[in-house]
Amino acid sequence: MPYKWIALSNTTLGLLMATINSSIVLIALPDIFRGIGIDPLAPGNTGYLLWMIMGFLVVTAVLVVGFGRLGDMYGRVRMYNLGFVVFTVASILLAVTWQSGDAAALWLIGWRVVQGVGGAFIMANSSAILTDAFPVEQRGLALGINGVAAIAGSFLGLVIGGLLGPVNWHLVFLVSVPFGVFGTVWGYLKLRDTGQRTPARMDWWGNLTFAVGLIALLVGITYGIQPYGDDVMGWASPFVLTCIVGGVLVLAAFVLIERRVAQPLFAIDLFANRAFTLGNAANLLASLGRGGLQFVLIIWLQGIWLPRHGYSFEQTPLWAGIYMLPLTVGFLVAAPVSGVLSDRYGARWFATGGMVLSAASFALLDVLPIDFGYPAFAAILLLNGIGMGLFTSPNRADVMNSLPARARGAGAGMTATFQNSAMVLSIGFFFSLMIIGLSQDLPAVMAQGLTEHAVPAADAARIAELPPVGVLFAAFLGYNPVQQLLGGVLPTLPPDQAAYLTGRSFFPELISGPFSAGLTAAFAFAVIACMVAAVASWFAGNGRRTEELGAELAAGAGEAGGPSQLVSPSAATGSPAR
């Protein structure tokens, strides 16, 4: 088998494994928390809930740039294989968790972070390995297939988590182990470095300020959705403000450092390349919309639609993953096709058209009734998957083709940072929009609904004033929170009223109206993000491939001027940047 296909198959396996694990716990969280004996909705446990969701995403967002730089310096295959080892060891230790309670939660969060370290090595170097291995006329196909794994994995993780979690929550982590062992051995035996290695000194101050700044910013956004005092969200909290403002200031210091060091971690000069800058901007915005869609659909299906259609709350995580399959199918069909066609006809029309289709799908989701008919819902999800698939392959190929050979690891890491950070940002943005929508109408609706079913007015008013984030987390986890909210009041109610309040109908019907207001705001944001991404994609390219082999050689010759001189292929030939 030619080496390029070995590189494609191994890196595709690695990215698929890493991205499945970025989302697999989202659906399996109820089973995991039940398995370790923790109520994630209890006030002291919301931190566990957030970090089980966010830990993997935050650490990959922070580390991919540095790990891509290490790949440029010491060998991309070496760093990639190290990632496989770290990821596999962490998966084994997650699967054998034997503790319960707080100790188990901390153990799981800690090893999820280590698993994210391995995932960051894989994500940072896989695109660069492929770009080194494939000629320019086949990169769209190769990166398109690899991109299918990268994004389809996040959708497939939802289904796999829903299938394995109810059987045994340990399987959610164990499923990665055989693939990790196989991929590690295969990579060490078959992969080899074919790209340009650039000896350099590590930019430690750049690494430190980037990590501190980005972690602070992402942590601030994460805790901003939790209540603070009498406020329904924590954006006015001193801790949140300190994290966000401090993170921005440290990142500003990072930019200044990068402009002054001889061998920077984050090659700021790359942003002079239009294809790289606008391609990454489009990728960031597309990832915001895609990440937000995942969370909104999980809440919509698990908290409202599935219970109203006869599914118990315990069954909803599995069926939410199954009912979202059209999204994955659309993506799996469109991404490889757009990769092949963009190699021949250029990226502009495919990337731009994909974002326009995605924006249209968000607008169509907004006009669906809360209690929709599934065929229409499935068709819109299929359209969204096709749109995202059409965009992903040409966008990724254009960004990677715009990079000089010796900066591909760092450039791929920068692209992965934008994409992974967008997933965390989408949680902050979309959850905030949903909480704002719920907070406007939910208190009055809940107070009225409870009093109509024999709950004393004082208790109903007290429960209605609780922060709506608890209701949102309950819907996200597929829990029915009414029994917990009523607490000691429930035994005092007539049995028929108590049974109705804790059944499948009351909670979904109660939040349907307030949830609809939040959906409108969230989908409006997604439409805007996709349309801006479409504009960025249009101006990023001229509609045809401009990098040919001679241009790449010219770019390589231009790089002889020193580590800080980065010449794009299009600049080297005088052709316009894509």
Side-chain angles (χ1 to χ4, degrees), residues 272-414:
N273 184 305
R274 186 178 67 182
F276 184 79
T277 301
L278 293 181
N280 275 307
N283 182 40
L284 174 70
L285 291 165
S287 298
L288 273 175
R290 184 171 59 247
L293 179 65
Q294 277 190 354
F295 292 105
V296 168
L297 292 182
I298 290 171
I299 294 168
W300 195 350
L301 289 169
Q302 293 186 182
I304 298 175
W305 194 84
L306 287 167
R308 291 182 69 165
H309 286 256
Y311 295 87
S312 69
F313 283 94
E314 291 76 18
Q315 292 176 311
T316 57
L318 168 61
W319 285 99
I322 292 173
Y323 278 115
M324 289 167 62
L325 277 175
L327 188 68
T328 307
V329 170
F331 186 87
L332 290 174
V333 169
V337 173
S338 70
V340 173
L341 294 178
S342 66
D343 279 337
R344 177 173 298 181
Y345 300 111
R348 171 181 281 175
W349 285 102
F350 296 98
T352 304
M355 282 294 94
V356 172
L357 284 179
S358 298
S361 69
F362 282 116
L364 291 171
L365 282 171
D366 186 42
V367 300
L368 273 183
I370 289 294
D371 191 17
F372 51 79
Y374 183 71
F377 180 75
I380 296 172
L381 290 193
L382 182 67
L383 178 66
N384 185 275
I386 291 172
M388 290 292 180
L390 287 174
F391 166 81
T392 297
S393 299
N395 170 266
R396 198 171 181 200
D398 240 14
V399 169
M400 292 304 298
N401 281 338
S402 73
L403 294 169
R406 87 180 160 70
R408 284 174 183 156
M414 291 156 74

Side-chain angles (χ1 to χ4, degrees), residues 1 67 140 214 232 268 346 395 450 469-470 488 502:
M1 179 187 295
F67 289 172
L214 188 57
V232 296
I268 303 296
N395 170 266
L450 292 174
V469 68
T502 56

Side-chain angles (χ1 to χ4, degrees), residues 59-270:
V59 75
T60 52
V62 169
L63 294 178
V64 284
V65 176
F67 289 172
R69 179 67 169 154
L70 287 174
D72 288 337
M73 293 165 56
Y74 300 112
R76 291 154 190 163
V77 167
R78 180 181 297 177
M79 296 298 106
Y80 173 85
N81 287 336
L82 177 60
F84 245 125
V85 173
V86 173
F87 192 98
T88 304
V89 170
S91 298
I92 293 170
L93 292 170
L94 284 164
V96 300
T97 302
W98 65 92
Q99 306 99 319
S100 61
D102 294 345
L106 292 172
W107 172 274
L108 289 171
I109 291 169
W111 285 108
R112 279 284 287 174
V113 167
V114 176
Q115 196 180 47
V117 172
F121 272 115
I122 292 171
M123 293 175 187
N125 292 285
S126 59
S127 294
I129 290 171
L130 283 183
T131 309
D132 290 338
F134 276 82
V136 64
E137 67 273 8
Q138 291 183 317
R139 282 185 195 152
L141 170 64
L143 291 167
I145 293 172
N146 208 236
V148 168
I151 295 175
S154 64
F155 297 134
L156 291 171
L158 302 177
V159 180
I160 295 170
L163 288 169
L164 297 180
V167 178
N168 188 309
W169 67 268
H170 293 272
L171 296 176
V172 172
F173 304 111
L174 186 63
V175 68
S176 299
V177 174
F179 297 101
V181 172
F182 174 74
T184 299
V185 175
W186 186 20
Y188 270 93
L189 292 177
K190 295 295 185 180
L191 292 181
R192 62 181 186 270
D193 272 305
T194 59
Q196 179 179 341
R197 189 180 301 182
T198 309
R201 296 176 61 186
M202 178 55 74
D203 174 18
W204 293 111
W205 282 109
N207 273 278
L208 179 63
T209 51
F210 179 73
V212 171
L214 188 57
I215 287 173
L217 183 62
L218 297 180
V219 167
I221 291 171
T222 300
Y223 282 93
I225 63 177
Q226 294 199 75
Y228 172 70
D230 294 330
D231 296 331
V232 296
M233 286 185 289
W235 297 111
S237 159
F239 173 75
V240 170
L241 290 174
T242 299
C243 285
I244 293 176
V245 175
V248 170
L249 291 176
V250 174
L251 288 175
F254 163 74
V255 173
L256 293 176
I257 291 170
E258 297 304 277
R259 288 187 174 277
R260 285 164 172 76
V261 297
Q263 296 167 334
L265 165 73
F266 217 103
I268 303 296
D269 290 348
L270 286 176

